[in-house]
Amino acid sequence: TGVATGQRLVTVQQGPLYRTEGSHVTLWCKVSGYQGPAEQNFQWSIYLPSAPEREVQIVSTVDPSFPYAIYTQRVRGRGIFVERLQGDAVRLHISELQERDAGQYECHTPNTDERYFGSYSAKTGLSVIPDTLSASMAPQALTLMEGDAVELTCEVSKSTAQHTHLSVGWYLLQGAAEHHAQEILTLSKDFILKPGPSYEQRFLEGDVQLNKVGNTTYKLLIRGVKPSDQGQLYCEAAEWIEDPDGTWQDISSKKTERTSLAVASQGRDLPVDITAAESSLDEGETLQLSCVVGAPKSSSRHFRVTWLLNEMEVARVDPHGVLIWEEGYQQRAKLGQLRAFKASNSVYILTIYKVGLEDKGTYQCSVSEMSTPGDLHSIQSNVSSGIRVNVKPAGHQMRLSVSTSTPQVTAGEPLSLHCEVQGASSPVSLRWWHLPPRHPGRRVLVASVEQDGSWSLGSAYRNGGTRGSLQLEKESPGSFTLVIPSTLGEEDGGQYRCEATQWSRGRNWTERGEAAVTVSSMGKALSSRAGLHATLRSRTATVSYGQSFELFCQVDASYTLEEVPASVQWLFQPSPATGPLQELVQLSPSGTVVWRTAQPHFQGKAQLAKAGTSFKLHIHSALPANQGTYQCEVQVWRRNSLPLGQPSANTSSNAVGIKVVLPESKLQVATEDSSVEIAGGNAAIECRIVFAQNNSQFAVTWYLLPLLAEATPLQIIRASYSSILEYGSEFNSPAQKSRFLSQRVSSNTFQLQILSAAPRDQGRYYCVVEEWLWLVDGWYKLGEGASGRTTLQFRPPGEQLQMESTNHSISAREGEEVTLPCRLQGALQPGTRPSATWFQVRSSGRGSALLTLHQDGSVEYPEERLAARLFLRRRSAGDFSLTLGSVERGDAGAYYCQLQGWKQQSQGKDWDLQALAQSGYTQLITIPPESTVLSRICSSPPLLNFILYLPLVLILLLALAVFCWYCKFRK
């Protein structure tokens, strides 16, 4: 076979092609062997996977009306367009690929030949895959001296199912050249290092390096920085895939945040400069100051640096790097609230964690040069200019206002008060007080709302039968409303005070405001409120879904109720409560029924009736929306007083709660325990529904129970019945979200996918399945069930490491240092390098990494606040014991270490995990420091016994001396 002369042939880019969602995609198409004009026309269509036989037209070079409606808007907005490469070749562009764009694409050329001969169209497949690429770098503002070294770290990860490669590069932006970044160094998709033109010579000399550490970490090292290196540095990662035609295509790229690098040139004298990351802070924030010594050849000179606040010494760092705190700062330094260190011979750092008002003022650094490190006298000195640091109190902006929508009420009517708090930087606690007019200086607690939203009533307001059930609402973090449903009389009038208190670092700020209320007694025509009383009752407080129920409002009065005009109003508050009682329906004195709009679903389901002094509310076929609190309100008028005007008396009944029981859940979840062992890669945990109703929907929540006894379950991810994902607090970072995925693999099976599983992921996993059902007016939860535990264990392919696994405890006195043991038993296999990680067990039971020794010898401190107190003093190759300096009370708890063995299969390849072991738990017990001589005596039994028997010894010695004197006298 073959194509004869003059036979038309349409060719299209070879598939199948894989491209990421959101990317810009191009497909080429060309035609040959045609007759007619040199400029041929092209038409693109798609065949979707859901309807593989149905053509959907996308775009044409000749017919503007060619696109179907689904693509018209994107074609008109140039989201999809055709680029003509030459007369017989084009390229289709899709600027922002969507998931629905997956399918078979067909390129068709309308016939311009004298007769049909050859092929007029060709197809290729396009699959749309998720964009899983992520790149991140912590932004910094660095100031270095010329000749110093800088190291930046970029975290890059992907979880694409297809085989792809990564390229990672570092770039420099300078001045206004925002779109003209200089390439520093790139690790290509072919694993080749390629320097930019400006850095090629320094790369060849080894001063510019890019190192890959582990699976996701890339580090850029520039030795001997120059002024030409200053600017904005960032990392850019790209993901590449090989197309069927053998070419590589980048399918995704991500840029990190930028790090600002300033390089100070070497001067001749002793220039000193001080900078602050932020000079205006709120109380409790972190202040970081940098002192840069711009001296020539600074690495071979000796400096003493003194930090000053308002010209008073704070701390001093000698040429050896030894730190000495001024007496007033020593205690805060011991508590880890202050940190000062020598970053290099020309850069010194002072950090104050959780600044207070006492830390504001003008900071300076004084630098003195010594001939030798031990000299007491300086050759020359210089003091930096001052930098002003302002610290604002945490509660300085809090303002409070109190208002009432009921400044004048009649006894029996409700009272509403509103308190608005603005400018608070953290949640506040609230107190409502009543200041009775007849008792000046006295205040009565009405209600209180705590910072966590919990509330309580004062002792005088806990009985809901007199004033009704008080309502406390928190509409927003700073908006509070108090409603007293029924005032008793004039004694409820007077001033109502709102007090808001904000707490920060053991201090508090309180703002107050008041509103005046007048309560009048009822008119004498109908006596007082005591002459009118309403009681609400129901035959049952619990009804099943679809069952009818009735409420009876019985009215009692000291006069004949039938002889005066009366109305009844029914009120309702849904459960759970979302606000105050809402007006439901009113029966007027004339018998007119007026429905309110707050609860429209009641109309048509409810009936009203009156028999004598009893009013009835009948609800047909109860729904979950009918569950809540009901109340009736009765109003009466004077006889023969038309128009009626204001009622002469009113009363509110007690509240009655009605609970609507949903259909019984039939949900059954498999509860068998199981285990999964992996050597690496991905892991899958299954959750299976044994039985449920056919029309139910499900929400599934995955939990991890760490292996430590009495550990608290940690929520990983929750997928609601509408597929909305919610991650737990310890799994909410972008890196964790990309690793833990919840999928529904069949109608009754859910899976938790753990991508790139690591040893710290070991534990017991389980799911909690919720059954949801649509009931007329919304979705309702019927029940839930928990699965059995699936234990995930990590079993590397190599021989297991041997180490001590028994649990033990160690005591240490506060302020001293303690060493926690971790030793390898036996030797490592040839060619195997160890890494070690120390963990502290949190209250949740999950270990939190404190220190990691990588297989290349580098040390990482995930808990930066502890970096200055953690040491690995290895006395042998197998000793990984951790020394914790200046023990604090908060250090008490359980610790353990994890050892890993890594092997490189060949030069240039990644290091693979071959072996793994975990130590037993070491329980650290902290002992308060001894503060007095007496405490030392009492803690030492021999010394205590000596002091107790000392008087007796002295008496015996005295008696012996007297006896000897007597004997000598007689002689």
Side-chain angles (χ1 to χ4, degrees):
T1 63
V3 179
T5 304
Q7 180 175 348
R8 177 183 287 260
L9 177 64
V10 176
T11 54
V12 72
Q13 189 168 343
Q14 184 179 352
L17 303 174
Y18 294 90
R19 299 292 185 264
T20 56
E21 188 175 359
S23 63
H24 187 117
V25 176
T26 61
L27 300 172
W28 60 256
C29 178
K30 61 184 178 181
V31 60
S32 61
Y34 58 88
Q35 299 175 5
E39 185 172 288
Q40 294 286 298
N41 286 311
F42 295 81
Q43 295 175 337
W44 287 89
S45 301
I46 187 174
Y47 295 84
L48 299 173
S50 58
E53 303 299 325
R54 178 171 171 260
E55 177 187 9
V56 179
Q57 298 174 179
I58 302 176
V59 66
S60 168
T61 60
V62 63
D63 184 6
S65 64
F66 181 78
Y68 279 9
I70 191 175
Y71 289 104
T72 300
Q73 193 66 29
R74 294 171 71 185
V75 172
R76 288 178 181 172
R78 297 283 292 174
I80 298 177
F81 64 94
V82 177
E83 174 193 9
R84 186 175 289 279
L85 304 176
Q86 56 189 42
D88 54 7
V90 297
R91 183 183 288 130
L92 172 67
H93 288 258
I94 304 176
S95 61
E96 193 168 337
L97 191 64
Q98 302 177 11
E99 186 178 2
R100 62 177 183 173
D101 293 331
Q104 287 286 324
Y105 283 77
E106 181 181 50
C107 175
H108 174 74
T109 59
N111 182 33
T112 59
D113 308 330
E114 294 181 356
R115 63 190 180 92
Y116 283 93
F117 187 47
S119 66
Y120 289 81
S121 65
K123 291 183 178 179
T124 189
L126 175 65
S127 295
V128 181
I129 59 178
D131 185 359
T132 64
L133 178 65
S134 71
S136 63
M137 176 181 70
Q140 304 177 71
L142 302 177
T143 302
L144 301 178
M145 294 302 302
E146 185 176 2
D148 289 345
V150 62
E151 183 179 72
L152 300 176
T153 301
C154 182
E155 294 289 337
V156 180
S157 64
K158 64 179 179 70
S159 56
T160 309
Q162 288 70 30
H163 175 72
T164 59
H165 287 188
L166 289 177
S167 65
V168 179
W170 295 86
Y171 296 87
L172 171 65
L173 287 170
Q174 291 180 317
E178 187 73 18
H179 303 291
H180 297 85
Q182 296 183 48
E183 181 182 12
I184 301 175
L185 187 57
T186 298
L187 178 63
S188 72
K189 66 180 184 304
D190 305 314
F191 312 108
I192 298 173
L193 288 172
K194 296 180 180 179
S198 303
Y199 290 85
E200 186 170 358
Q201 185 60 37
R202 296 166 70 184
F203 169 73
L204 295 175
E205 294 172 356
D207 289 337
V208 178
Q209 299 179 10
L210 195 159
N211 300 310
K212 184 180 180 184
V213 183
N215 293 328
T216 62
T217 304
Y218 298 79
K219 292 189 175 183
L220 172 70
L221 173 64
I222 302 178
R223 293 193 181 95
V225 295
K226 303 177 179 179
S228 60
D229 295 325
Q230 64 185 3
Q232 303 285 326
L233 289 85
Y234 66 90
C235 166
E236 182 172 0
E239 187 173 7
W240 299 76
I241 194 167
E242 187 177 18
D243 286 345
D245 61 2
T247 62
W248 285 85
Q249 176 69 38
D250 60 318
I251 58 175
S252 178
S253 65
K254 298 290 171 63
K255 294 180 181 179
T256 66
E257 295 187 74
R258 302 172 184 175
T259 284
S260 173
L261 174 62
V263 180
S265 300
Q266 300 284 8
R268 293 185 178 180
D269 301 318
L270 190 61
V272 180
D273 188 28
I274 185 172
T275 60
E278 181 63 52
S279 60
S280 181
L281 305 102
D282 287 329
E283 192 174 10
E285 293 183 333
T286 297
L287 170 65
Q288 180 170 306
L289 298 167
S290 301
C291 180
V292 179
V293 184
K297 299 181 181 179
S298 62
S299 59
S300 60
R301 297 165 68 176
H302 311 290
F303 304 113
R304 181 182 66 208
V305 175
T306 303
W307 289 98
L308 305 171
L309 170 57
N310 298 328
E311 301 183 350
M312 300 296 291
E313 183 174 331
V314 176
R316 184 169 63 253
V317 181
D318 71 8
H320 291 292
V322 176
L323 171 65
I324 301 174
W325 290 101
E326 187 62 23
E327 184 178 359
Y329 294 88
Q330 291 175 2
Q331 184 61 29
R332 292 176 67 186
K334 287 181 180 179
L335 296 174
Q337 297 174 2
L338 306 175
R339 186 185 182 196
F341 65 95
K342 177 181 178 180
S344 69
N345 208 39
S346 58
V347 179
Y348 299 78
I349 306 296
L350 170 65
T351 304
I352 302 178
Y353 302 100
K354 296 184 178 179
V355 296
L357 298 178
E358 68 275 14
D359 297 319
K360 67 180 179 180
T362 301
Y363 285 83
Q364 295 172 287
C365 63
S366 172
V367 179
S368 301
E369 184 176 3
M370 311 294 180
S371 295
T372 62
D375 277 359
L376 298 177
H377 302 288
S378 61
I379 302 173
Q380 58 174 330
S381 299
N382 194 7
V383 180
S384 71
S385 59
I387 184 168
R388 181 70 183 176
V389 173
N390 184 35
V391 180
K392 295 171 287 187
H396 73 288
Q397 295 179 336
M398 189 168 70
R399 300 181 303 279
L400 181 146
S401 61
V402 184
S403 60
T404 177
S405 58
T406 55
Q408 293 184 338
V409 297
T410 303
E413 292 181 341
L415 183 62
S416 179
L417 296 154
H418 185 73
C419 185
E420 189 75 25
V421 181
Q422 297 178 330
S425 58
S426 61
V428 300
S429 61
L430 202 80
R431 299 287 184 274
W432 284 102
W433 300 92
H434 177 217
L435 311 180
R438 297 178 181 175
H439 303 281
R442 181 187 170 204
R443 65 177 187 174
V444 179
L445 179 64
V446 180
S448 60
V449 183
E450 302 304 328
Q451 289 176 285
D452 59 3
S454 61
W455 57 273
S456 60
L457 299 178
S459 58
Y461 292 83
R462 290 173 188 162
N463 181 9
T466 54
R467 293 184 177 88
S469 299
L470 268 66
Q471 299 161 22
L472 279 168
E473 299 176 21
K474 185 177 181 181
E475 291 117 9
S476 66
S479 185
F480 304 84
T481 298
L482 168 68
V483 177
I484 301 176
S486 179
T487 51
L488 295 182
E490 295 178 358
E491 64 271 22
D492 280 347
Q495 297 285 337
Y496 283 83
R497 176 182 296 166
C498 172
E499 284 185 356
T501 303
Q502 180 182 356
W503 300 82
S504 176
R505 299 183 68 216
R507 300 176 59 195
N508 64 80
W509 297 263
T510 300
E511 293 290 335
R512 300 173 179 84
E514 296 178 3
V517 174
T518 301
V519 180
S520 304
S521 59
M522 291 185 179
K524 297 181 180 179
L526 289 177
S527 184
S528 66
R529 181 180 181 273
L532 186 67
H533 182 72
T535 303
L536 184 64
R537 58 184 177 84
S538 172
R539 290 192 176 96
T540 177
T542 302
V543 296
S544 300
Y545 169 75
Q547 180 184 350
S548 299
F549 66 93
E550 293 178 333
L551 293 163
F552 298 91
C553 180
Q554 181 64 45
V555 183
D556 299 312
S558 58
Y559 40 84
T560 304
L561 192 63
E562 289 83 349
E563 296 180 359
V564 296
S567 74
V568 63
Q569 180 166 255
W570 292 91
L571 299 98
F572 173 70
Q573 182 184 55
S575 177
T578 58
L581 287 163
Q582 300 171 343
E583 296 177 355
L584 190 62
V585 62
Q586 183 177 33
L587 180 64
S588 69
S590 61
T592 304
V593 176
V594 180
W595 290 94
R596 308 302 184 189
T597 58
Q599 299 288 336
H601 57 275
F602 275 90
Q603 192 169 358
K605 293 179 60 64
Q607 289 182 344
L608 300 177
K610 176 184 178 184
T613 59
S614 178
F615 298 86
K616 182 175 72 173
L617 175 66
H618 181 94
I619 306 294
H620 295 278
S621 302
L623 297 174
N626 300 136
Q627 176 173 297
T629 301
Y630 292 80
Q631 192 177 37
C632 66
E633 190 177 84
V634 179
Q635 296 178 327
V636 296
W637 285 261
R638 302 172 190 267
R639 287 177 288 181
N640 305 319
S641 57
L642 294 175
L644 293 176
Q646 291 296 321
S648 298
N650 59 49
T651 186
S652 297
S653 73
N654 56 297
V656 170
I658 297 294
K659 181 179 180 181
V660 178
V661 180
L662 297 174
E664 184 180 358
S665 173
K666 305 295 184 182
L667 177 67
Q668 296 180 24
V669 181
T671 57
E672 300 85 2
D673 292 341
S674 61
S675 63
V676 174
E677 288 190 0
I678 60 170
N682 303 335
I685 311 294
E686 277 201 354
C687 173
R688 185 168 53 87
I689 298 174
V690 178
F691 182 80
Q693 301 184 56
N694 293 332
N695 53 349
S696 296
Q697 293 292 330
F698 304 102
V700 60
T701 305
W702 292 94
Y703 292 91
L704 166 61
L705 193 61
L707 295 175
L708 184 66
E710 300 181 1
T712 303
L714 304 175
Q715 179 182 329
I716 304 172
I717 183 175
R718 182 181 190 273
S720 69
Y721 62 82
S722 56
S723 300
I724 297 175
L725 300 181
E726 177 185 347
Y727 285 83
S729 58
E730 296 204 18
F731 297 84
N732 203 29
S733 66
Q736 294 286 64
K737 287 183 178 180
S738 64
R739 293 183 56 242
F740 289 87
L741 307 173
S742 178
Q743 298 177 335
R744 186 172 185 174
V745 296
S746 68
S747 60
N748 66 337
T749 304
F750 295 86
Q751 255 189 14
L752 175 67
Q753 293 282 343
I754 308 174
L755 307 181
S756 302
R760 69 171 308 210
D761 297 325
Q762 294 183 117
R764 292 165 290 171
Y765 292 79
Y766 68 96
C767 72
V768 174
V769 180
E770 302 170 7
E771 182 180 17
W772 291 77
L773 191 66
W774 177 265
L775 300 175
V776 182
D777 60 339
W779 287 96
Y780 292 92
K781 178 181 172 182
L782 301 187
E784 65 179 36
S787 70
R789 271 52 169 173
T790 298
T791 303
L792 176 62
Q793 295 179 311
F794 208 86
R795 292 286 185 268
E799 182 179 346
Q800 296 301 301
L801 302 176
Q802 301 297 322
M803 61 187 304
E804 181 64 38
S805 60
T806 57
N807 301 333
H808 58 280
S809 62
I810 292 180
S811 298
R813 195 170 300 280
E814 294 176 20
E816 299 179 356
E817 71 174 31
V818 64
T819 298
L820 310 178
C822 175
R823 297 181 181 87
L824 180 65
Q825 297 177 349
L828 290 170
Q829 293 292 325
T832 301
R833 290 188 183 180
S835 69
T837 301
W838 271 96
F839 296 88
Q840 182 180 16
V841 180
R842 299 302 186 198
S843 58
S844 62
R846 186 171 172 86
S848 176
L850 302 176
L851 177 148
T852 297
L853 172 67
H854 295 287
Q855 67 267 24
D856 62 357
S858 61
V859 179
E860 178 184 355
Y861 297 92
E863 292 279 354
E864 184 180 356
R865 62 183 177 83
L866 297 176
R869 298 199 292 122
L870 300 178
F871 309 96
L872 281 180
R873 296 172 177 164
R874 302 184 62 189
R875 293 177 172 80
S876 64
D879 187 358
F880 301 90
S881 300
L882 177 69
T883 297
L884 178 61
S886 299
V887 171
E888 301 174 0
R889 181 182 300 178
D891 295 332
Y895 295 77
Y896 67 94
C897 74
Q898 193 176 83
L899 300 184
Q900 299 175 350
W902 301 82
K903 182 173 287 187
Q904 193 177 28
Q905 301 303 326
S906 60
Q907 189 67 28
K909 297 293 185 181
D910 289 341
W911 290 85
D912 296 327
L913 180 63
Q914 296 293 312
L916 172 72
Q918 180 174 307
S919 71
Y921 294 96
T922 298
Q923 186 72 32
L924 175 60
I925 302 170
T926 61
I927 303 172
E930 296 178 345
S931 57
T932 65
V933 174
L934 181 60
S935 64
R936 291 187 173 92
I937 293 173
C938 294
S939 63
S940 175
L943 184 60
L944 179 62
N945 290 337
F946 174 75
I947 291 188
L948 291 176
Y949 288 105
L950 181 59
L952 181 60
V953 172
L954 293 175
I955 292 172
L956 291 174
L957 290 174
L958 180 61
L960 181 60
V962 171
F963 178 75
C964 292
W965 176 83
Y966 174 75
C967 294
K968 185 177 179 181
F969 177 78
R970 290 196 62 182
K971 288 180 180 180

